[in-house]
Amino acid sequence: MASHYQKPHAIMIPYPYQGHITPFVYLAIKLASHGFTITFVNTHYIHSKISNSQTQQNYQHNKDDLFAKARENGLDIRYATVNDGFPLGFDRSLNHDQFVEGLLHVFSAHFDEVVGNLVKSDPPVTCLIADTFYVWPLMIAEKYNLVYVSFWTEPALVLTLYYHMELLKKNGHFACQDNRKDSIDYIPGVEAIEPRDLMSYLQATDIWTVVHRVIYKAFTDIKKADMIICNTVQELEFDTLSALNKKQPTYAIGPIFPSGLTKAPFSISLWSESDCSQWLNNKPNTSVLYVSFGSYAHTSKEDILEIAHGLQLSGVNFIWVLRPDIVSSDETDFLPVGFEESIKDRGLIVPWCRQIEVISHPAIGGFLTHCGWNSTLESIWCGIPLICFPLLTDQFTNRKLVVNDWKIGINLCDNARVTHEEVAEKVSNFMCGDTTQELRKAMKEVRKTLENALGQDGSSQKNFQQFMEDIKVNIRKRAGLSNGHVSPLHQNGNGLAH
């Protein structure tokens, strides 16, 4: 029996969006390469999206099992799928609120059934690593006597703001008739933050949307997790992480990348990826602006038109990743008439691409981004300065870190509305002016911080080791094997390296 506890078996389930799936997959591989058994669970819908995109790109090897290759390399990663409560053909983007209602009320019953079957496996399941945004992990973990790890895929600053929603409410900065507009200086571990830099859901006037209800429940749940892991770096958010650690064990183990980042072991994209390398090979070093607003956020047709005109006027080379549903699933004709013809020699428009391969190409000189957290970390790793155009959720808060705190990017627009004149001026100055040198210098420093954190004696590496140790201790405690001999360090947990 003891041998079972030497090999922990974790069920991992990401939130069903690309930005959450990516770090979950890489964490699964990392844990499995350190001796864990992993059962990775995707929804049927996400599985079919990945399978379809792989079929289109001839990734036949992994079509039915993302981790087939990993197992061939000796890693014990199993793969399972679960029904999210909706038919495959249901448009989850167009019917977003209905879909999230399903995640809130129905999905747990489907997942419970999957876990009920998996707990009989060998070695037995001992741990649940679930995305923080799910509302049921505590209930499932308690039912099956599993160690509950909440995996937060965004920066610690965003985590702590949600964690302290009650303080924001009490002080009148959130959920009030007329929210205060002055600086917020009372959140533990956060020096000060302006209301405009809060996540969009904490700036909203309607605070009972389905997403708000998910957030309220998820952030009640997380406070009872055995441990929290964060896809961030201790040195970049030291005070915030220290304050969180006083509440419960929190481990900064990011950035969670595959080894040899620029060549991922397999595709986990929900869309077929265009190969941009030939086009980039014909462009001078640092001459191309990469433009992408991520896998999930939507924007207005007006904004797309202004950005398109601005890119046209700027005279800069660019690759623009433009998802067909960037405006909405039922409006796919949103570019200015004749735009593609007018920019054909210096602009490339693709529906999706292998972002890491693009931004690590020497031709790329900047990234116009929505400030998704994965995009931010990948840009830092590749040393690419950012032009920030946040659209929703954590992106406004990530923008604050990028522009105000780390000084590795600029804002695309300084006013409420984006205009083509401002886009043209900002893009042109950013790609050809002096400011970029300052940004690159700052970027080198931040990049070094990431690199050091992942090094052998780095904070993320030490925290990851400590996290694995503490999981094992928690598993033994759950199984009643600890006999009270748990060190104070393990009892308290400690996400800060010693």
Side-chain angles (χ1 to χ4, degrees), residues 135-259:
V135 297
W136 39 256
L138 180 67
M139 175 187 78
I140 301 268
E142 285 179 344
K143 178 174 178 179
Y144 295 104
N145 197 31
L146 306 175
V147 174
Y148 164 28
V149 178
S150 190
F151 181 14
W152 180 250
T153 60
E154 296 169 10
L157 175 59
V158 177
L159 171 62
T160 207
L161 290 167
Y162 279 137
Y163 201 99
H164 293 97
M165 270 182 296
E166 285 307 312
L167 274 182
L168 290 167
K169 199 185 269 190
K170 195 173 108 184
N171 285 277
H173 280 105
F174 169 61
C176 295
Q177 200 70 46
D178 193 16
N179 288 343
R180 282 169 57 182
K181 300 288 186 285
D182 57 328
S183 290
I184 298 158
D185 59 2
Y186 48 79
I187 302 290
V190 179
E191 198 173 317
I193 187 167
E194 299 304 315
R196 68 171 176 271
D197 295 327
L198 293 173
M199 298 78 81
S200 59
Y201 298 118
L202 296 187
Q203 295 186 46
T205 46
D206 179 0
I207 59 154
W208 289 107
T209 68
V210 63
V211 178
H212 282 89
R213 285 180 281 124
V214 164
I215 290 166
Y216 303 148
K217 176 76 177 77
F219 277 85
T220 304
D221 217 52
I222 193 179
K223 290 173 182 173
K224 294 182 179 151
D226 292 297
M227 45 188 80
I228 302 168
I229 47 176
C230 259
N231 188 17
T232 189
V233 174
Q234 193 173 297
E235 288 79 3
L236 291 181
E237 303 193 83
F238 190 85
D239 292 346
T240 306
L241 286 156
S242 298
L244 279 165
N245 238 293
K246 290 181 178 138
K247 304 275 187 186
Q248 66 197 106
T250 306
Y251 308 74
I253 60 171
I256 300 163
F257 291 152
S259 50

Side-chain angles (χ1 to χ4, degrees), residues 297-345:
H298 297 278
T299 187
S300 68
K301 185 173 179 176
E302 292 71 32
D303 284 353
I304 294 291
L305 289 171
E306 292 297 324
I307 290 166
H309 283 309
L311 289 171
Q312 200 172 17
L313 284 171
S314 72
V316 163
N317 296 327
F318 64 89
I319 287 181
W320 192 356
V321 173
L322 215 43
R323 293 188 341 259
D325 70 341
I326 186 76
V327 172
S328 87
S329 304
D330 54 1
E331 181 162 14
T332 51
D333 183 20
F334 39 71
L335 283 170
V337 176
F339 176 70
E340 292 186 68
E341 182 60 29
S342 73
I343 53 90
K344 67 176 183 205
D345 295 328

